[in-house]
Each structure stands twice: as C-alpha cells, then as structure tokens.
Amino acid sequence: MSYDFSPTDFSAEEALKWFEECGDTDAGYLLAHWSRFQSTYEFAMAPVDKRARLDVLDVGCHWLHNALLYARAGHRLTCIDGSALVEHASVIAAAERMAARLLPMRRMETGDGLRALADNSIDLVLFCEIIENIAFNPIPFWKEIYRILRPGGRIVITTPNAFYHRSIDTQMNRLLSGRGGFGITVNDILATGTYGHHWKEYSLPELRDYFAKLSRDFDTSRHAMPTREEDRNAMLGPISELVADCADVRAHSIYLDVVLTQKDAGISISPPWIPPQS
C-alpha cells in the first residue's frame, strides 16, 4: 500500500470492478456517489500526515464503497452496519480483501455494536450521510463514540445542507401550494426503505450547536461546503435569495470535522430516558 494515496487515481469503474470481483454490490449507488467518496476522503485526510496509519471506524458502511479508499491508503478499518449488510457474503468477501473488521449494529440508538471496541482505540470515525437519517435520541450512541475515540481523534460528518437553494425552493413550493408542510413527503415515508428517510437535514450552525451541546471537548471549527458546477452560477428563486445573506445556499452538502480535543468533560447531556439494553 502507498501512504501517498490519491483517491482521484482510482476511478468509479475501477472500484466497481474491484467490488464485482467480491460478488454482488450496489453498482448504481457506487457510480452515483463515487465522487462524494473521493471528496470526503480528501477532506478527512487533509490534516493527516501522509505517513500515518489510522484506526478508522466507518459507521453505516453499506457495501464498503467508502471504506475502500481508506483501505487502499493503508489505514486499519472497522466497518459497522446492520446485520443484513455486514453478514452478506459479498460484503464479507470485500472486507476480507481489504483486511477490514466487520461489526453488526443491531440497535444504533444504544450503540450496541460499538461495545466490542476498546476505549481510546479509534482515530477517525466516518459518519457519512447518516446523521440526517437519525430518528431517535442519539446521546447513548454518541457516548459510545466518545468512549472509543482517542484524544485528538476526529468524527467526519457529511450530510445534505438544509439551506441548499433547490431544497428550500422545493419545500416552500410544497408549503405555498398546500401540498404539504416542511419535512419529508408522505410518498417518501411510504415508498422509501427504512433508514433512507432524511428526517432532519441540518445547517452548518445547527451541526456545530449539536456537537457543542454534546460536549465542550469537541471542536467544530473546520468544515467544507461543496458545490456543483451547475449551482455556482444558478439563478436563485425568491425564497433562497432571502436566505442567501445568512447561509451558503449554493452548497449541496456540509462536511464537518469534529475533533475530540481532549477527554475531559465527557458527553455532558443526558437523554430524558434510558433506552432498554439488549
């Protein structure tokens, strides 16, 4: 493995061939999202010495598409998702090929799958396109993430930007036409698979507030707001123009680097109830 790895040197077509050699994979998802995996890798690795080998945890690892880039760069991987995926034969084969450890997460709201990991054992948590899908109180989960992160460890969050101008205009058109309020549509609820719903999309200030409330040990000063070429010169609708002065409405996503600067305060907020353990 080369430590000086560039994700752009490995194309979506090459990645698809790599996974097809392991068995089944979601080819459409890989091809549609490969550029996001590449840009996430570049964002995550920018502060890291090229000679370093990190212990990386990929939460919601799916078919291991995102994980492949970190494996090719020589990082040590633990990948966690629902048992239906991590027990799939082709995912097991891909994990073996990239020397990744697979763990099932049966109850994400309790962080149960993370209990197999030792305290202070992880340098980097990938939490990519997950936070918008959470529909439960996440504090027990984040307590487990805090426990396993080393001081100086990081959580890389990627998520849709709630202030993206196309999203704002769509939501307002639904509201003003009487076809619905804010949030996801009835069709989304009924026709989208479990864990596919975007129950809550965030703005950058909201995400920073989220982690500030969890612990004062988290620093969220570093971020990126990627845009697409077609949005850079887009004519904004009247609603998104109103928002543009206080938000980056042309950015479709938020990349946030959550750094655990020290392990002092812990997770300083508690849920109003304790979910049953299993």
Side-chain angles (χ1 to χ4, degrees):
M1 296 287 185
S2 169
Y3 292 114
D4 191 10
F5 172 72
S6 173
T8 56
D9 292 339
F10 197 58
S11 70
E13 291 72 24
E14 289 172 310
L16 180 58
K17 180 181 178 182
W18 190 98
F19 280 103
E20 287 177 339
E21 290 170 357
C22 299
D24 297 331
T25 196
D26 189 337
Y29 190 87
L30 187 154
L31 294 172
H33 291 272
W34 187 250
S35 62
R36 173 171 63 81
F37 301 147
Q38 291 173 314
S39 61
T40 300
Y41 178 92
E42 290 173 338
F43 176 79
M45 291 296 107
V48 178
D49 189 313
K50 293 183 184 300
R51 297 167 295 179
R53 294 184 70 215
L54 304 184
D55 290 300
V56 178
L57 172 67
D58 185 4
V59 178
C61 61
H62 203 221
W63 293 89
L64 307 185
H65 297 161
N66 195 26
L68 179 59
L69 293 171
Y70 302 83
R72 287 182 64 84
H75 301 293
R76 297 176 292 268
L77 276 160
T78 299
C79 301
I80 191 165
D81 209 319
S83 55
L85 266 174
V86 300
E87 294 170 5
H88 193 287
S90 61
V91 174
I92 292 171
E96 289 176 349
R97 191 175 175 189
M98 62 176 73
R101 180 185 184 187
L102 285 178
L103 292 175
M105 179 85 85
R106 292 182 172 86
R107 296 193 59 185
M108 188 176 179
E109 73 274 19
T110 68
D112 64 348
L114 301 172
R115 294 176 197 148
L117 299 177
D119 295 359
N120 305 312
S121 60
I122 297 296
D123 299 300
L124 175 65
V125 175
L126 301 174
F127 205 68
C128 302
E129 311 304 300
I130 302 294
I131 199 166
E132 67 274 11
N133 303 120
I134 291 178
F136 52 80
N137 189 297
I139 295 171
F141 170 82
W142 289 118
K143 285 184 175 180
E144 286 295 310
I145 292 291
Y146 184 98
R147 177 185 64 80
I148 64 177
L149 265 180
R150 294 183 175 118
R154 298 158 54 225
I155 308 164
V156 167
I157 306 286
T158 72
T159 190
N161 175 21
F163 282 159
Y164 181 45
H165 71 99
R166 298 183 193 277
S167 298
I168 291 173
D169 289 342
T170 297
Q171 292 282 4
M172 290 306 300
N173 285 334
R174 286 179 60 225
L175 183 67
L176 295 173
S177 67
R179 291 183 292 110
F182 291 104
I184 64 176
T185 66
V186 171
N187 190 59
D188 287 333
I189 294 171
L190 300 178
T192 303
T194 302
Y195 304 121
H197 309 97
H198 287 201
W199 292 112
K200 164 65 178 170
E201 294 186 354
Y202 293 85
S203 67
L204 179 60
E206 281 184 306
L207 279 179
R208 286 182 163 149
D209 185 49
Y210 182 114
F211 285 97
K213 283 183 166 63
L214 284 173
S215 179
R216 59 180 169 81
D217 292 339
F218 288 131
D219 172 58
T220 57
S221 56
R222 179 173 174 262
H223 76 282
M225 302 281 281
T227 59
R228 300 185 180 97
E229 185 65 36
E230 61 268 27
D231 289 316
R232 288 171 194 156
N233 298 310
M235 296 294 292
L236 300 182
I239 302 300
S240 51
E241 283 179 350
L242 291 174
V243 182
D245 288 339
C246 60
D248 190 343
V249 299
R250 289 188 168 92
H252 58 83
S253 295
I254 302 168
Y255 292 4
L256 185 65
D257 196 358
V258 182
V259 182
L260 182 61
T261 57
Q262 58 189 359
K263 296 191 87 165
D264 180 24
I267 299 297
S268 53
I269 188 169
S270 297
W273 47 267
I274 302 299
Q277 304 295 307
S278 64

